């Protein structure tokens, strides 16, 4: 890791972090923030933030901006993102992923490779997508997941999103592996749910990894713990 000074971080850096499984994006940023404060003597109020949330059950590329580069967060958030992951076909969950238990099962006897590849075509280009009820979007000032955990039913509006590329990389039913390149605001969990529904079945997301944001690649990303360990104490 290139040795950077406190001034470098204050003037602005984009840190490529490989977010661990079960960590929230907030936890990852906080870990970096306090490592920089404690080891490099940066002021406690120095600016740091990420350019696009990853769910705790997802891993992969998190862009973290420091200092003056926090002004670039909106620009970075608007770039196309690439994900890889796995759909489990034949069952749904309320959260559309493994955060909640299976609530309904469906037949998969009619699903073959041809149907899977044909269904992919329905999701290319601009699509209408409804965010999961278990998401951080606010409705009436309250985050949707808080409504969900309270057992409340709320109306969620569809949003326009764009799927630039959608490739099936492995079929081993009930699992399907995929690669998706999409616009800002796309929920891969919702894509999993809608994909199963489009095949007259059900589906939920069991693995997700963000591999790219614009030209930034997770191959070049650093582990959070190793980043902290490699920081030299001021």
């Amino acid at each position: 890791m290139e040795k950077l000074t406190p001034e470098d971080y204050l003037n602005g850096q984009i840190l490529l972090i490989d977010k661990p499984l079960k960590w929230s994006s907030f936890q990852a940023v906080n870990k970096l923030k306090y490592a920089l404060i404690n080891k490099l003597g940066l002021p406690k109020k120095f600016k740091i933030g990420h350019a696009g949330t990853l769910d705790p059950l997802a891993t992969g590329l998190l862009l973290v901006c420091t200092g003056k580069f926090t002004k670039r967060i909106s620009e970075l958030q608007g770039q196309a993102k690439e994900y890889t992951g796995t759909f489990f076909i034949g069952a749904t969950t309320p959260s559309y992923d493994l955060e909640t238990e299976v609530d309904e099962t469906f037949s998969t006897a009619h699903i073959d490779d041809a149907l899977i590849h044909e269904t992919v075509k329905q999701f290319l280009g601009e699509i209408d997508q409804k965010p999961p009820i278990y998401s951080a979007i606010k409705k009436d000032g309250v985050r949707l997941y808080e409504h969900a955990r309270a057992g409340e039913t709320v109306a969620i509006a569809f949003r326009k999103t764009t799927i630039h590329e959608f490739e099936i990389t492995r079929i081993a039913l009930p699992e399907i592996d995929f690669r998706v390149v999409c616009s800002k605001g796309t929920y891969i969990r919702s894509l999993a749910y809608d994909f199963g529904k489009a095949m007259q079945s059900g589906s939920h997301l069991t693995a997700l990894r963000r591999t790219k944001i614009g030209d930034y690649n997770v191959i070049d990303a650093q582990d959070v713990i190793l980043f902290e360990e490699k920081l030299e104490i001021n």
Side-chain angles (χ1 to χ4, degrees), residues 81-216:
K81 299 170 179 66
E82 180 186 80
Y83 297 89
T84 60
T86 303
F87 296 155
F88 185 98
I89 308 299
T92 56
T93 71
S95 60
Y96 302 171
D97 65 3
L98 294 176
E99 183 183 344
T100 53
E101 298 293 324
V102 168
D103 61 353
E104 197 170 356
T105 57
F106 303 81
S107 173
T108 60
H110 62 289
I111 297 175
D112 57 18
D113 290 15
L115 177 60
I116 291 167
H117 288 294
E118 192 61 32
T119 304
V120 164
K121 298 175 185 177
Q122 296 180 33
F123 294 92
L124 288 169
E126 187 178 75
I127 62 171
D128 289 317
Q129 187 181 75
K130 187 180 287 187
I133 183 65
Y134 282 81
S135 65
I137 294 171
K138 286 187 176 180
K139 174 82 172 180
D140 301 326
V142 179
R143 298 197 184 277
L144 287 181
Y145 64 75
E146 293 176 2
H147 285 295
R149 288 168 185 165
E152 299 166 358
T153 302
V154 295
I156 305 172
F158 281 93
R159 296 179 166 199
K160 295 286 186 186
T161 189
T162 303
I163 307 295
H164 302 292
E165 299 176 37
F166 187 3
E167 175 189 5
I168 301 300
T169 56
R170 180 182 72 104
I171 299 173
L173 290 174
E175 293 185 340
I176 296 175
D177 289 352
F178 65 88
R179 182 184 70 87
V180 165
V181 179
C182 56
S183 65
K184 172 188 175 181
T186 302
Y187 281 90
I188 306 300
R189 286 183 286 148
S190 292
L191 182 64
Y193 178 84
D194 293 340
F195 190 78
K197 192 174 180 180
M199 293 195 298
Q200 306 300 312
S201 185
S203 174
H204 63 280
L205 188 67
T206 56
L208 184 66
R209 182 163 177 78
R210 185 157 66 197
T211 47
K212 292 180 183 178
I213 299 175
D215 292 329
Y216 297 99

Side-chain angles (χ1 to χ4, degrees), residues 31-48:
K31 185 74 170 174
L32 294 169
K33 179 178 181 177
Y34 288 104
L36 291 168
I37 289 170
N38 295 330
K39 291 198 170 186
L40 294 188
L42 285 167
K44 289 184 179 180
K45 292 186 178 180
F46 97 99
K47 293 181 178 179
I48 185 169

Side-chain angles (χ1 to χ4, degrees), residues 4-64:
L4 298 172
T5 66
E7 290 73 26
D8 289 329
Y9 288 106
L10 290 171
N11 287 332
Q13 296 293 318
I14 298 176
L15 307 177
L16 278 63
I17 298 299
D18 190 345
K19 189 192 79 66
L21 184 67
K22 296 186 179 179
W23 283 47
S24 71
S25 299
F26 177 79
Q27 283 176 306
V29 171
N30 248 21
K31 185 74 170 174
L32 294 169
K33 179 178 181 177
Y34 288 104
L36 291 168
I37 289 170
N38 295 330
K39 291 198 170 186
L40 294 188
L42 285 167
K44 289 184 179 180
K45 292 186 178 180
F46 97 99
K47 293 181 178 179
I48 185 169
H50 65 77
T53 303
L54 268 179
D55 290 335
L57 293 180
T59 65
L61 185 59
L62 194 68
L63 295 184
V64 179

